[in-house]
Amino acid sequence: MIKIAPSILSANFARLEEDIKAAENAGAHMLHIDVMDGHFVPNITIGCSVVKAVRKITRLPLDVHLMIENPDIFVKEFADAGADFLTVHCEASIHLHRTIQHIKQNNMKAGVAINPATPVLYLENILSDVDLALLMSVDPGFGGQEFIPFTIEKIKAVKKMTSKAGVTPLIEVDGGVKIENAKAIADAGADILVMGSAFFKSDNYSLTMETLNEILGNR
Ligand code: DX5
Ligand code: ZN
């Protein structure tokens, strides 16, 4: 099954609980939470306290995407806040192998993310250590941007790398995913599709989920 992870970056922050519960009731598979620090990316969003509050109102797995410098210093705080997946950018972590071990020692699933301009080769030596590989299909920082087409080839390349290495990390794609391109992204090898604006700006979350499940062949 291909999972859909709505990104709350595009939810209505003034009624976040309502929006998250509506996403859960619509059948979303996990919840993507974008943490930005104003340094690694030119935007500031959500921190640990919001993750902690969200943890209390939903049973959906929390997929926390750190777009921050020095992610190591926050690993424990996000574990305590209730993150299930914690993903760091390879561009932001100098000792990535150590960071990944640190995340796993804190009983979370560990993810590594790469920006659009970062070659997939950066994943090669860490692939067998991670639970999730996140390919950014927009330059991180904002919701509502256009999917960068060459990501499709990167997904296929990562899929090949995982088969060759005999490992099965989840492949997640983030940025510009919508109903129109979901099938092509999944066919290339993605397991999780992050959807911000295409999900939360849709009129009917249940209908959006139903359409996606049908397009993706989910039962
Ligand atoms: C972008 C974030 C994304 C964002 C996706 O930096 O990492 O998760 O919420 O939003 P859409 O789906 O609107 O591109
Ligand atoms: Zn994200």
Side-chain angles (χ1 to χ4, degrees), residues 85-160:
F85 287 83
L86 194 67
T87 296
V88 297
H89 270 260
C90 78
E91 302 89 353
S93 174
I94 298 170
H95 304 291
L96 182 60
H97 181 266
R98 180 182 289 148
T99 309
I100 295 299
Q101 308 312 321
H102 192 187
I103 294 172
K104 295 202 283 195
Q105 282 156 10
N106 278 274
N107 301 314
M108 294 176 287
K109 305 258 187 224
V112 61
I114 62 169
N115 281 334
T118 301
V120 294
L121 265 181
Y122 273 72
L123 294 173
E124 193 171 4
N125 293 301
I126 199 71
L127 217 45
S128 53
D129 283 285
V130 297
D131 301 291
L132 181 148
L134 193 168
L135 302 185
M136 286 306 303
S137 38
V138 298
D139 287 296
F142 305 94
Q145 304 181 80
E146 277 298 305
F147 182 87
I148 298 174
F150 68 63
T151 312
I152 294 288
E153 292 311 312
K154 290 180 77 179
I155 303 167
K156 289 182 188 164
V158 172
K159 188 76 189 166
K160 253 191 211 155

Side-chain angles (χ1 to χ4, degrees), residues 4-64:
I4 303 297
S7 164
I8 61 168
L9 186 60
S10 293
N12 183 341
F13 285 177
R15 45 182 179 85
L16 195 52
E17 178 171 9
E18 209 179 299
D19 256 5
I20 288 173
K21 287 193 168 150
E24 185 167 6
N25 290 337
H29 304 114
M30 48 209 290
L31 208 60
H32 187 83
I33 304 183
D34 289 307
V35 176
M36 304 186 188
D37 66 352
H39 290 276
F40 181 68
V41 288
N43 196 4
I44 299 175
T45 53
I46 291 162
C48 286
S49 48
V50 175
V51 173
K52 200 171 181 177
V54 169
R55 178 68 294 163
K56 290 189 182 137
I57 58 147
T58 180
R59 289 216 287 245
L60 290 176
L62 302 185
D63 171 33
V64 178

